[in-house]
Amino acid sequence: MLILRIISYTCFGLAGLGIIFALGEGEIMLMSLSVSTAIAGVLMLALDKIVTTLTEIRDTIIGSRHAEGPADTSTVQPADTNEVNKSAPTKSLEELTADIDRMKSNL
């Protein structure tokens, strides 16, 4: 996530400035604050990596549905339940029983 990377790089910048000021002034307290700010930046980068990896895993599991967004359902026509699928071949009862008997004999 972009905001986590921005926060982590800001922490690194502030830590660098704090170290420079701590060395110039000789303040140990400012040095410890700078080191803790640098540690916070590292933790933010780790959190960014974790969130990015989990997002990639989620996108892989869900597939392209998530990337495309919600489907537009306004153009989908409901199927007529009374209409029989004309392309499917139909068999008579005798053909079905003959097929079942043939399958039983193969076992």
Side-chain angles (χ1 to χ4, degrees):
M1 295 179 68
L2 181 64
I3 190 70
L4 291 175
R5 275 183 270 151
I6 291 171
I7 291 172
S8 66
Y9 293 139
T10 303
C11 286
F12 290 142
L14 290 175
L17 287 175
I19 288 173
I20 291 171
F21 288 140
L23 291 176
E25 296 293 321
E27 289 289 326
I28 299 298
M29 187 60 129
L30 190 57
M31 182 69 83
S32 64
L33 288 174
S34 299
V35 169
S36 65
T37 306
I39 292 171
V42 170
L43 292 176
M44 286 293 169
L45 275 179
L47 183 63
D48 173 52
K49 182 66 176 170
I50 290 169
V51 169
T52 303
T53 304
L54 288 175
T55 304
E56 289 173 358
I57 291 171
R58 182 200 60 197
D59 290 345
T60 303
I61 290 173
I62 292 176
S64 62
R65 267 190 317 183
H66 180 69
E68 294 173 1
D72 185 21
T73 58
S74 62
T75 60
V76 176
Q77 299 291 332
D80 188 12
T81 57
N82 295 331
E83 184 178 320
V84 177
N85 189 0
K86 304 275 190 232
S87 64
T90 56
K91 292 186 176 183
S92 66
L93 183 59
E94 292 82 19
E95 291 174 334
L96 289 174
T97 50
D99 287 342
I100 292 172
D101 291 336
R102 183 175 39 87
M103 291 170 72
K104 284 181 183 178
S105 66
N106 287 339
L107 292 178

